[in-house]
Amino acid sequence: MSIKRQMQRKHQTQNADKKLIASKNENAMVGGILEGSPDAVGVVIIRLECGCRKMAAVDIKGDMASKKIIAYRDNADSICDKCKEDHGDFSRITTQFIEWDKDDIEGATKKMIYEKVFGTAPIVH
Ligand SMILES: [Zn+2]
């Protein structure tokens, strides 16, 4: 196999790995949120174009399992000025997904929760 091809291959793999998987910092946050939310089955992760993140735990019914939505920014003491102004407006979302805590949740349940969180019941701070 040519080096070019190998590199392309590696690139593809890396892209696949990156897809909707929480980053290292996000994972630390997810762990903390799950610890503080006994009913949680997963954590909603919302990434904003400015680099800030919003997260909240969800329970098996798709309701919020944490007391509040956590907003934070990697390597910063606080969220950015723009987010302080518009509270992380939904128009600026780049990625949103759920990091599941347990693997044994049924696909249909996941779908229901996903739709409840992102579809009919948008998270409002
Ligand atoms: Zn921001």
Side-chain angles (χ1 to χ4, degrees):
M1 194 187 293
S2 71
I3 289 173
K4 192 182 167 197
R5 210 184 143 93
Q6 278 184 344
M7 282 174 73
Q8 277 174 341
R9 229 184 172 197
K10 198 171 176 207
H11 188 67
Q12 280 168 359
T13 315
Q14 279 173 344
N15 274 351
D17 286 346
K18 242 188 272 173
K19 198 183 161 204
L20 300 187
I21 292 176
S23 72
K24 205 174 161 195
N25 285 335
E26 278 176 351
N27 266 330
M29 293 295 291
V30 166
I33 292 169
L34 289 173
E35 239 169 67
S37 317
D39 295 333
V41 295
V43 174
V44 178
I45 299 176
I46 292 171
R47 295 176 185 156
L48 295 152
E49 62 178 9
C50 53
C52 299
R53 314 261 201 270
K54 290 207 285 189
M55 295 188 186
V58 282
D59 65 17
I60 196 73
K61 290 183 193 137
D63 293 321
M64 229 172 110
S66 47
K67 286 193 190 78
K68 57 175 184 169
I69 292 178
I70 291 155
Y72 85 104
R73 189 175 170 81
D74 285 346
N75 306 314
D77 292 333
S78 68
I79 54 173
C80 73
D81 290 340
K82 180 110 183 130
C83 283
K84 283 177 188 165
E85 218 171 86
D86 69 7
H87 304 284
D89 194 83
F90 280 81
S91 64
R92 297 195 292 109
I93 292 173
T94 58
T95 313
Q96 55 183 18
F97 63 103
I98 297 173
E99 178 83 2
W100 302 102
D101 180 36
K102 297 172 181 72
D103 289 329
D104 59 354
I105 304 166
E106 277 180 46
T109 308
K110 283 185 177 176
K111 191 167 175 278
M112 181 277 292
I113 294 172
Y114 197 91
E115 280 174 3
K116 192 163 176 181
V117 171
F118 297 121
T120 53
I123 296 175
V124 182
H125 67 94

PDB file of all heavy atoms in Angstrom, residues 34 37-44 56-66 98 100-117:
ATOM      1  N   LEU A  34     -22.772  13.088  35.615  1.00  0.00           N
ATOM      2  CA  LEU A  34     -23.401  11.803  35.918  1.00  0.00           C
ATOM      3  C   LEU A  34     -23.302  11.484  37.409  1.00  0.00           C
ATOM      4  O   LEU A  34     -24.231  10.956  38.006  1.00  0.00           O
ATOM      5  CB  LEU A  34     -22.744  10.689  35.092  1.00  0.00           C
ATOM      6  CG  LEU A  34     -23.042  10.716  33.593  1.00  0.00           C
ATOM      7  CD1 LEU A  34     -22.215   9.675  32.859  1.00  0.00           C
ATOM      8  CD2 LEU A  34     -24.530  10.494  33.318  1.00  0.00           C
ATOM      9  N   SER A  37     -25.932  13.280  39.238  1.00  0.00           N
ATOM     10  CA  SER A  37     -27.299  13.028  38.787  1.00  0.00           C
ATOM     11  C   SER A  37     -27.576  11.531  38.767  1.00  0.00           C
ATOM     12  O   SER A  37     -27.397  10.873  37.753  1.00  0.00           O
ATOM     13  CB  SER A  37     -27.501  13.606  37.378  1.00  0.00           C
ATOM     14  OG  SER A  37     -26.938  14.875  37.250  1.00  0.00           O
ATOM     15  N   PRO A  38     -28.032  10.998  39.894  1.00  0.00           N
ATOM     16  CA  PRO A  38     -28.233   9.543  40.018  1.00  0.00           C
ATOM     17  C   PRO A  38     -29.216   8.970  38.996  1.00  0.00           C
ATOM     18  O   PRO A  38     -29.086   7.809  38.619  1.00  0.00           O
ATOM     19  CB  PRO A  38     -28.796   9.383  41.434  1.00  0.00           C
ATOM     20  CG  PRO A  38     -28.509  10.654  42.141  1.00  0.00           C
ATOM     21  CD  PRO A  38     -28.384  11.723  41.109  1.00  0.00           C
ATOM     22  N   ASP A  39     -30.184   9.759  38.566  1.00  0.00           N
ATOM     23  CA  ASP A  39     -31.190   9.254  37.625  1.00  0.00           C
ATOM     24  C   ASP A  39     -30.737   9.326  36.169  1.00  0.00           C
ATOM     25  O   ASP A  39     -31.425   8.855  35.266  1.00  0.00           O
ATOM     26  CB  ASP A  39     -32.492  10.057  37.751  1.00  0.00           C
ATOM     27  CG  ASP A  39     -33.125   9.864  39.122  1.00  0.00           C
ATOM     28  OD1 ASP A  39     -32.887   8.804  39.730  1.00  0.00           O
ATOM     29  OD2 ASP A  39     -33.842  10.771  39.572  1.00  0.00           O
ATOM     30  N   ALA A  40     -29.617   9.917  35.926  1.00  0.00           N
ATOM     31  CA  ALA A  40     -29.200  10.164  34.549  1.00  0.00           C
ATOM     32  C   ALA A  40     -28.854   8.878  33.803  1.00  0.00           C
ATOM     33  O   ALA A  40     -28.269   7.956  34.354  1.00  0.00           O
ATOM     34  CB  ALA A  40     -27.994  11.103  34.543  1.00  0.00           C
ATOM     35  N   VAL A  41     -29.244   8.827  32.540  1.00  0.00           N
ATOM     36  CA  VAL A  41     -28.820   7.725  31.674  1.00  0.00           C
ATOM     37  C   VAL A  41     -27.840   8.231  30.612  1.00  0.00           C
ATOM     38  O   VAL A  41     -27.265   7.451  29.872  1.00  0.00           O
ATOM     39  CB  VAL A  41     -30.016   7.037  30.975  1.00  0.00           C
ATOM     40  CG1 VAL A  41     -30.900   6.358  32.008  1.00  0.00           C
ATOM     41  CG2 VAL A  41     -30.811   8.026  30.136  1.00  0.00           C
ATOM     42  N   GLY A  42     -27.716   9.542  30.555  1.00  0.00           N
ATOM     43  CA  GLY A  42     -26.802  10.128  29.584  1.00  0.00           C
ATOM     44  C   GLY A  42     -26.706  11.626  29.789  1.00  0.00           C
ATOM     45  O   GLY A  42     -27.394  12.196  30.630  1.00  0.00           O
ATOM     46  N   VAL A  43     -25.823  12.225  29.016  1.00  0.00           N
ATOM     47  CA  VAL A  43     -25.638  13.664  29.126  1.00  0.00           C
ATOM     48  C   VAL A  43     -25.783  14.284  27.743  1.00  0.00           C
ATOM     49  O   VAL A  43     -25.159  13.825  26.777  1.00  0.00           O
ATOM     50  CB  VAL A  43     -24.253  14.010  29.718  1.00  0.00           C
ATOM     51  CG1 VAL A  43     -24.009  15.512  29.703  1.00  0.00           C
ATOM     52  CG2 VAL A  43     -24.136  13.470  31.136  1.00  0.00           C
ATOM     53  N   VAL A  44     -26.618  15.303  27.664  1.00  0.00           N
ATOM     54  CA  VAL A  44     -26.779  16.041  26.418  1.00  0.00           C
ATOM     55  C   VAL A  44     -25.590  16.980  26.276  1.00  0.00           C
ATOM     56  O   VAL A  44     -25.263  17.714  27.203  1.00  0.00           O
ATOM     57  CB  VAL A  44     -28.087  16.865  26.457  1.00  0.00           C
ATOM     58  CG1 VAL A  44     -28.247  17.682  25.179  1.00  0.00           C
ATOM     59  CG2 VAL A  44     -29.272  15.955  26.680  1.00  0.00           C
ATOM     60  N   ALA A  56     -26.329  18.886  29.959  1.00  0.00           N
ATOM     61  CA  ALA A  56     -27.325  18.594  30.989  1.00  0.00           C
ATOM     62  C   ALA A  56     -27.575  17.097  30.996  1.00  0.00           C
ATOM     63  O   ALA A  56     -27.541  16.445  29.953  1.00  0.00           O
ATOM     64  CB  ALA A  56     -28.622  19.352  30.707  1.00  0.00           C
ATOM     65  N   ALA A  57     -27.816  16.560  32.160  1.00  0.00           N
ATOM     66  CA  ALA A  57     -28.114  15.135  32.277  1.00  0.00           C
ATOM     67  C   ALA A  57     -29.566  14.883  31.899  1.00  0.00           C
ATOM     68  O   ALA A  57     -30.428  15.718  32.128  1.00  0.00           O
ATOM     69  CB  ALA A  57     -27.853  14.668  33.709  1.00  0.00           C
ATOM     70  N   VAL A  58     -29.824  13.724  31.284  1.00  0.00           N
ATOM     71  CA  VAL A  58     -31.203  13.321  30.994  1.00  0.00           C
ATOM     72  C   VAL A  58     -31.485  11.981  31.657  1.00  0.00           C
ATOM     73  O   VAL A  58     -30.599  11.138  31.787  1.00  0.00           O
ATOM     74  CB  VAL A  58     -31.496  13.169  29.480  1.00  0.00           C
ATOM     75  CG1 VAL A  58     -31.707  14.492  28.831  1.00  0.00           C
ATOM     76  CG2 VAL A  58     -30.420  12.362  28.780  1.00  0.00           C
ATOM     77  N   ASP A  59     -32.753  11.796  32.055  1.00  0.00           N
ATOM     78  CA  ASP A  59     -33.128  10.509  32.640  1.00  0.00           C
ATOM     79  C   ASP A  59     -33.772   9.638  31.564  1.00  0.00           C
ATOM     80  O   ASP A  59     -33.887  10.040  30.402  1.00  0.00           O
ATOM     81  CB  ASP A  59     -34.030  10.690  33.870  1.00  0.00           C
ATOM     82  CG  ASP A  59     -35.385  11.304  33.539  1.00  0.00           C
ATOM     83  OD1 ASP A  59     -35.781  11.296  32.347  1.00  0.00           O
ATOM     84  OD2 ASP A  59     -36.042  11.792  34.463  1.00  0.00           O
ATOM     85  N   ILE A  60     -34.215   8.472  31.952  1.00  0.00           N
ATOM     86  CA  ILE A  60     -34.720   7.480  31.006  1.00  0.00           C
ATOM     87  C   ILE A  60     -35.991   7.949  30.291  1.00  0.00           C
ATOM     88  O   ILE A  60     -36.354   7.451  29.241  1.00  0.00           O
ATOM     89  CB  ILE A  60     -34.957   6.114  31.728  1.00  0.00           C
ATOM     90  CG1 ILE A  60     -35.104   4.965  30.730  1.00  0.00           C
ATOM     91  CG2 ILE A  60     -36.125   6.191  32.691  1.00  0.00           C
ATOM     92  CD1 ILE A  60     -33.813   4.539  30.057  1.00  0.00           C
ATOM     93  N   LYS A  61     -36.673   8.934  30.861  1.00  0.00           N
ATOM     94  CA  LYS A  61     -37.891   9.457  30.226  1.00  0.00           C
ATOM     95  C   LYS A  61     -37.591  10.633  29.301  1.00  0.00           C
ATOM     96  O   LYS A  61     -38.480  11.189  28.665  1.00  0.00           O
ATOM     97  CB  LYS A  61     -38.885   9.920  31.301  1.00  0.00           C
ATOM     98  CG  LYS A  61     -39.484   8.780  32.087  1.00  0.00           C
ATOM     99  CD  LYS A  61     -40.512   9.341  33.077  1.00  0.00           C
ATOM    100  CE  LYS A  61     -40.917   8.303  34.090  1.00  0.00           C
ATOM    101  NZ  LYS A  61     -40.987   8.882  35.446  1.00  0.00           N
ATOM    102  N   GLY A  62     -36.328  11.032  29.257  1.00  0.00           N
ATOM    103  CA  GLY A  62     -35.977  12.159  28.399  1.00  0.00           C
ATOM    104  C   GLY A  62     -36.133  13.490  29.099  1.00  0.00           C
ATOM    105  O   GLY A  62     -36.057  14.542  28.464  1.00  0.00           O
ATOM    106  N   ASP A  63     -36.362  13.441  30.401  1.00  0.00           N
ATOM    107  CA  ASP A  63     -36.448  14.685  31.175  1.00  0.00           C
ATOM    108  C   ASP A  63     -35.071  15.037  31.721  1.00  0.00           C
ATOM    109  O   ASP A  63     -34.200  14.188  31.827  1.00  0.00           O
ATOM    110  CB  ASP A  63     -37.430  14.521  32.342  1.00  0.00           C
ATOM    111  CG  ASP A  63     -38.852  14.340  31.859  1.00  0.00           C
ATOM    112  OD1 ASP A  63     -39.226  15.010  30.869  1.00  0.00           O
ATOM    113  OD2 ASP A  63     -39.577  13.521  32.458  1.00  0.00           O
ATOM    114  N   MET A  64     -34.947  16.280  32.096  1.00  0.00           N
ATOM    115  CA  MET A  64     -33.670  16.708  32.634  1.00  0.00           C
ATOM    116  C   MET A  64     -33.420  16.055  33.987  1.00  0.00           C
ATOM    117  O   MET A  64     -34.275  16.062  34.858  1.00  0.00           O
ATOM    118  CB  MET A  64     -33.670  18.227  32.793  1.00  0.00           C
ATOM    119  CG  MET A  64     -32.436  18.882  32.208  1.00  0.00           C
ATOM    120  SD  MET A  64     -32.615  20.658  32.229  1.00  0.00           S
ATOM    121  CE  MET A  64     -31.427  21.039  33.492  1.00  0.00           C
ATOM    122  N   ALA A  65     -32.247  15.476  34.159  1.00  0.00           N
ATOM    123  CA  ALA A  65     -31.935  14.777  35.406  1.00  0.00           C
ATOM    124  C   ALA A  65     -30.975  15.581  36.271  1.00  0.00           C
ATOM    125  O   ALA A  65     -30.696  15.208  37.403  1.00  0.00           O
ATOM    126  CB  ALA A  65     -31.344  13.399  35.101  1.00  0.00           C
ATOM    127  N   SER A  66     -30.474  16.667  35.751  1.00  0.00           N
ATOM    128  CA  SER A  66     -29.616  17.531  36.565  1.00  0.00           C
ATOM    129  C   SER A  66     -30.383  18.801  36.879  1.00  0.00           C
ATOM    130  O   SER A  66     -31.348  19.141  36.204  1.00  0.00           O
ATOM    131  CB  SER A  66     -28.308  17.848  35.839  1.00  0.00           C
ATOM    132  OG  SER A  66     -28.547  18.242  34.506  1.00  0.00           O
ATOM    133  N   ILE A  98     -26.077  13.091  22.421  1.00  0.00           N
ATOM    134  CA  ILE A  98     -26.168  12.582  23.788  1.00  0.00           C
ATOM    135  C   ILE A  98     -25.062  11.557  24.007  1.00  0.00           C
ATOM    136  O   ILE A  98     -24.885  10.650  23.192  1.00  0.00           O
ATOM    137  CB  ILE A  98     -27.548  11.940  24.057  1.00  0.00           C
ATOM    138  CG1 ILE A  98     -28.645  13.008  23.916  1.00  0.00           C
ATOM    139  CG2 ILE A  98     -27.581  11.330  25.466  1.00  0.00           C
ATOM    140  CD1 ILE A  98     -30.063  12.455  23.989  1.00  0.00           C
ATOM    141  N   TRP A 100     -24.208   8.600  26.042  1.00  0.00           N
ATOM    142  CA  TRP A 100     -24.959   7.669  26.890  1.00  0.00           C
ATOM    143  C   TRP A 100     -24.069   7.115  27.983  1.00  0.00           C
ATOM    144  O   TRP A 100     -22.921   6.760  27.743  1.00  0.00           O
ATOM    145  CB  TRP A 100     -25.550   6.534  26.045  1.00  0.00           C
ATOM    146  CG  TRP A 100     -26.448   7.036  24.972  1.00  0.00           C
ATOM    147  CD1 TRP A 100     -26.154   7.173  23.643  1.00  0.00           C
ATOM    148  CD2 TRP A 100     -27.783   7.541  25.117  1.00  0.00           C
ATOM    149  NE1 TRP A 100     -27.221   7.714  22.969  1.00  0.00           N
ATOM    150  CE2 TRP A 100     -28.229   7.945  23.845  1.00  0.00           C
ATOM    151  CE3 TRP A 100     -28.645   7.678  26.220  1.00  0.00           C
ATOM    152  CZ2 TRP A 100     -29.509   8.478  23.634  1.00  0.00           C
ATOM    153  CZ3 TRP A 100     -29.913   8.206  26.003  1.00  0.00           C
ATOM    154  CH2 TRP A 100     -30.331   8.601  24.731  1.00  0.00           C
ATOM    155  N   ASP A 101     -24.660   7.010  29.151  1.00  0.00           N
ATOM    156  CA  ASP A 101     -23.909   6.474  30.281  1.00  0.00           C
ATOM    157  C   ASP A 101     -23.916   4.955  30.250  1.00  0.00           C
ATOM    158  O   ASP A 101     -22.946   4.302  30.586  1.00  0.00           O
ATOM    159  CB  ASP A 101     -24.523   6.982  31.591  1.00  0.00           C
ATOM    160  CG  ASP A 101     -23.780   6.457  32.804  1.00  0.00           C
ATOM    161  OD1 ASP A 101     -22.544   6.327  32.724  1.00  0.00           O
ATOM    162  OD2 ASP A 101     -24.426   6.168  33.818  1.00  0.00           O
ATOM    163  N   LYS A 102     -25.048   4.405  29.831  1.00  0.00           N
ATOM    164  CA  LYS A 102     -25.186   2.944  29.821  1.00  0.00           C
ATOM    165  C   LYS A 102     -25.367   2.452  28.400  1.00  0.00           C
ATOM    166  O   LYS A 102     -26.019   3.088  27.595  1.00  0.00           O
ATOM    167  CB  LYS A 102     -26.391   2.540  30.676  1.00  0.00           C
ATOM    168  CG  LYS A 102     -26.230   2.919  32.130  1.00  0.00           C
ATOM    169  CD  LYS A 102     -27.534   2.682  32.877  1.00  0.00           C
ATOM    170  CE  LYS A 102     -27.415   3.067  34.340  1.00  0.00           C
ATOM    171  NZ  LYS A 102     -27.345   4.540  34.537  1.00  0.00           N
ATOM    172  N   ASP A 103     -24.806   1.298  28.130  1.00  0.00           N
ATOM    173  CA  ASP A 103     -24.903   0.733  26.789  1.00  0.00           C
ATOM    174  C   ASP A 103     -26.167  -0.096  26.607  1.00  0.00           C
ATOM    175  O   ASP A 103     -26.532  -0.437  25.497  1.00  0.00           O
ATOM    176  CB  ASP A 103     -23.689  -0.148  26.498  1.00  0.00           C
ATOM    177  CG  ASP A 103     -22.442   0.694  26.308  1.00  0.00           C
ATOM    178  OD1 ASP A 103     -22.577   1.835  25.834  1.00  0.00           O
ATOM    179  OD2 ASP A 103     -21.350   0.221  26.648  1.00  0.00           O
ATOM    180  N   ASP A 104     -26.820  -0.432  27.712  1.00  0.00           N
ATOM    181  CA  ASP A 104     -27.958  -1.342  27.603  1.00  0.00           C
ATOM    182  C   ASP A 104     -29.293  -0.631  27.373  1.00  0.00           C
ATOM    183  O   ASP A 104     -30.350  -1.221  27.546  1.00  0.00           O
ATOM    184  CB  ASP A 104     -28.046  -2.243  28.839  1.00  0.00           C
ATOM    185  CG  ASP A 104     -28.196  -1.438  30.126  1.00  0.00           C
ATOM    186  OD1 ASP A 104     -28.120  -0.199  30.059  1.00  0.00           O
ATOM    187  OD2 ASP A 104     -28.386  -2.053  31.182  1.00  0.00           O
ATOM    188  N   ILE A 105     -29.247   0.635  26.987  1.00  0.00           N
ATOM    189  CA  ILE A 105     -30.492   1.330  26.680  1.00  0.00           C
ATOM    190  C   ILE A 105     -30.930   0.919  25.276  1.00  0.00           C
ATOM    191  O   ILE A 105     -30.125   0.883  24.358  1.00  0.00           O
ATOM    192  CB  ILE A 105     -30.290   2.855  26.727  1.00  0.00           C
ATOM    193  CG1 ILE A 105     -29.725   3.264  28.086  1.00  0.00           C
ATOM    194  CG2 ILE A 105     -31.601   3.586  26.471  1.00  0.00           C
ATOM    195  CD1 ILE A 105     -29.182   4.668  28.098  1.00  0.00           C
ATOM    196  N   GLU A 106     -32.203   0.610  25.140  1.00  0.00           N
ATOM    197  CA  GLU A 106     -32.707   0.174  23.848  1.00  0.00           C
ATOM    198  C   GLU A 106     -32.671   1.299  22.829  1.00  0.00           C
ATOM    199  O   GLU A 106     -32.835   2.466  23.167  1.00  0.00           O
ATOM    200  CB  GLU A 106     -34.162  -0.289  24.006  1.00  0.00           C
ATOM    201  CG  GLU A 106     -34.279  -1.711  24.497  1.00  0.00           C
ATOM    202  CD  GLU A 106     -35.742  -2.094  24.640  1.00  0.00           C
ATOM    203  OE1 GLU A 106     -36.517  -1.809  23.714  1.00  0.00           O
ATOM    204  OE2 GLU A 106     -36.089  -2.649  25.679  1.00  0.00           O
ATOM    205  N   GLY A 107     -32.499   0.908  21.580  1.00  0.00           N
ATOM    206  CA  GLY A 107     -32.447   1.891  20.496  1.00  0.00           C
ATOM    207  C   GLY A 107     -33.689   2.766  20.456  1.00  0.00           C
ATOM    208  O   GLY A 107     -33.608   3.974  20.269  1.00  0.00           O
ATOM    209  N   ALA A 108     -34.845   2.151  20.648  1.00  0.00           N
ATOM    210  CA  ALA A 108     -36.101   2.892  20.598  1.00  0.00           C
ATOM    211  C   ALA A 108     -36.173   3.923  21.723  1.00  0.00           C
ATOM    212  O   ALA A 108     -36.666   5.037  21.540  1.00  0.00           O
ATOM    213  CB  ALA A 108     -37.271   1.934  20.690  1.00  0.00           C
ATOM    214  N   THR A 109     -35.663   3.539  22.885  1.00  0.00           N
ATOM    215  CA  THR A 109     -35.661   4.460  24.026  1.00  0.00           C
ATOM    216  C   THR A 109     -34.721   5.630  23.750  1.00  0.00           C
ATOM    217  O   THR A 109     -35.044   6.782  24.007  1.00  0.00           O
ATOM    218  CB  THR A 109     -35.213   3.720  25.307  1.00  0.00           C
ATOM    219  OG1 THR A 109     -36.009   2.553  25.462  1.00  0.00           O
ATOM    220  CG2 THR A 109     -35.360   4.615  26.527  1.00  0.00           C
ATOM    221  N   LYS A 110     -33.556   5.296  23.200  1.00  0.00           N
ATOM    222  CA  LYS A 110     -32.609   6.352  22.858  1.00  0.00           C
ATOM    223  C   LYS A 110     -33.233   7.347  21.887  1.00  0.00           C
ATOM    224  O   LYS A 110     -33.087   8.549  22.025  1.00  0.00           O
ATOM    225  CB  LYS A 110     -31.359   5.731  22.222  1.00  0.00           C
ATOM    226  CG  LYS A 110     -30.422   5.079  23.230  1.00  0.00           C
ATOM    227  CD  LYS A 110     -29.161   4.617  22.517  1.00  0.00           C
ATOM    228  CE  LYS A 110     -28.177   4.038  23.518  1.00  0.00           C
ATOM    229  NZ  LYS A 110     -26.982   3.504  22.867  1.00  0.00           N
ATOM    230  N   LYS A 111     -33.932   6.783  20.907  1.00  0.00           N
ATOM    231  CA  LYS A 111     -34.559   7.626  19.894  1.00  0.00           C
ATOM    232  C   LYS A 111     -35.603   8.537  20.534  1.00  0.00           C
ATOM    233  O   LYS A 111     -35.679   9.724  20.240  1.00  0.00           O
ATOM    234  CB  LYS A 111     -35.211   6.731  18.836  1.00  0.00           C
ATOM    235  CG  LYS A 111     -35.673   7.460  17.605  1.00  0.00           C
ATOM    236  CD  LYS A 111     -36.004   6.473  16.490  1.00  0.00           C
ATOM    237  CE  LYS A 111     -36.581   7.159  15.280  1.00  0.00           C
ATOM    238  NZ  LYS A 111     -38.016   7.464  15.366  1.00  0.00           N
ATOM    239  N   MET A 112     -36.387   7.951  21.431  1.00  0.00           N
ATOM    240  CA  MET A 112     -37.432   8.717  22.107  1.00  0.00           C
ATOM    241  C   MET A 112     -36.805   9.864  22.907  1.00  0.00           C
ATOM    242  O   MET A 112     -37.251  10.995  22.851  1.00  0.00           O
ATOM    243  CB  MET A 112     -38.239   7.777  23.019  1.00  0.00           C
ATOM    244  CG  MET A 112     -39.383   8.422  23.783  1.00  0.00           C
ATOM    245  SD  MET A 112     -38.898   9.267  25.318  1.00  0.00           S
ATOM    246  CE  MET A 112     -38.417   7.867  26.332  1.00  0.00           C
ATOM    247  N   ILE A 113     -35.756   9.540  23.637  1.00  0.00           N
ATOM    248  CA  ILE A 113     -35.094  10.552  24.457  1.00  0.00           C
ATOM    249  C   ILE A 113     -34.502  11.637  23.557  1.00  0.00           C
ATOM    250  O   ILE A 113     -34.660  12.833  23.803  1.00  0.00           O
ATOM    251  CB  ILE A 113     -33.984   9.912  25.331  1.00  0.00           C
ATOM    252  CG1 ILE A 113     -34.611   8.966  26.365  1.00  0.00           C
ATOM    253  CG2 ILE A 113     -33.159  10.996  26.032  1.00  0.00           C
ATOM    254  CD1 ILE A 113     -33.594   8.137  27.156  1.00  0.00           C
ATOM    255  N   TYR A 114     -33.865  11.181  22.500  1.00  0.00           N
ATOM    256  CA  TYR A 114     -33.231  12.115  21.574  1.00  0.00           C
ATOM    257  C   TYR A 114     -34.260  13.096  21.007  1.00  0.00           C
ATOM    258  O   TYR A 114     -34.047  14.301  20.975  1.00  0.00           O
ATOM    259  CB  TYR A 114     -32.560  11.340  20.438  1.00  0.00           C
ATOM    260  CG  TYR A 114     -31.560  12.158  19.675  1.00  0.00           C
ATOM    261  CD1 TYR A 114     -30.221  12.169  20.045  1.00  0.00           C
ATOM    262  CD2 TYR A 114     -31.948  12.936  18.592  1.00  0.00           C
ATOM    263  CE1 TYR A 114     -29.301  12.932  19.365  1.00  0.00           C
ATOM    264  CE2 TYR A 114     -31.030  13.697  17.905  1.00  0.00           C
ATOM    265  CZ  TYR A 114     -29.707  13.697  18.283  1.00  0.00           C
ATOM    266  OH  TYR A 114     -28.809  14.459  17.613  1.00  0.00           O
ATOM    267  N   GLU A 115     -35.405  12.540  20.591  1.00  0.00           N
ATOM    268  CA  GLU A 115     -36.442  13.392  20.006  1.00  0.00           C
ATOM    269  C   GLU A 115     -37.025  14.342  21.039  1.00  0.00           C
ATOM    270  O   GLU A 115     -37.339  15.490  20.737  1.00  0.00           O
ATOM    271  CB  GLU A 115     -37.542  12.526  19.399  1.00  0.00           C
ATOM    272  CG  GLU A 115     -37.154  12.006  18.031  1.00  0.00           C
ATOM    273  CD  GLU A 115     -38.162  11.021  17.449  1.00  0.00           C
ATOM    274  OE1 GLU A 115     -39.210  10.775  18.096  1.00  0.00           O
ATOM    275  OE2 GLU A 115     -37.881  10.502  16.363  1.00  0.00           O
ATOM    276  N   LYS A 116     -37.140  13.840  22.246  1.00  0.00           N
ATOM    277  CA  LYS A 116     -37.705  14.679  23.297  1.00  0.00           C
ATOM    278  C   LYS A 116     -36.755  15.831  23.610  1.00  0.00           C
ATOM    279  O   LYS A 116     -37.169  16.962  23.816  1.00  0.00           O
ATOM    280  CB  LYS A 116     -37.951  13.843  24.558  1.00  0.00           C
ATOM    281  CG  LYS A 116     -38.786  14.566  25.590  1.00  0.00           C
ATOM    282  CD  LYS A 116     -39.348  13.596  26.598  1.00  0.00           C
ATOM    283  CE  LYS A 116     -40.113  14.342  27.680  1.00  0.00           C
ATOM    284  NZ  LYS A 116     -40.654  13.442  28.699  1.00  0.00           N
ATOM    285  N   VAL A 117     -35.481  15.512  23.626  1.00  0.00           N
ATOM    286  CA  VAL A 117     -34.483  16.527  23.978  1.00  0.00           C
ATOM    287  C   VAL A 117     -34.278  17.532  22.836  1.00  0.00           C
ATOM    288  O   VAL A 117     -34.289  18.743  23.044  1.00  0.00           O
ATOM    289  CB  VAL A 117     -33.134  15.863  24.337  1.00  0.00           C
ATOM    290  CG1 VAL A 117     -32.038  16.916  24.495  1.00  0.00           C
ATOM    291  CG2 VAL A 117     -33.270  15.068  25.620  1.00  0.00           C
TER     292      VAL A 117
END
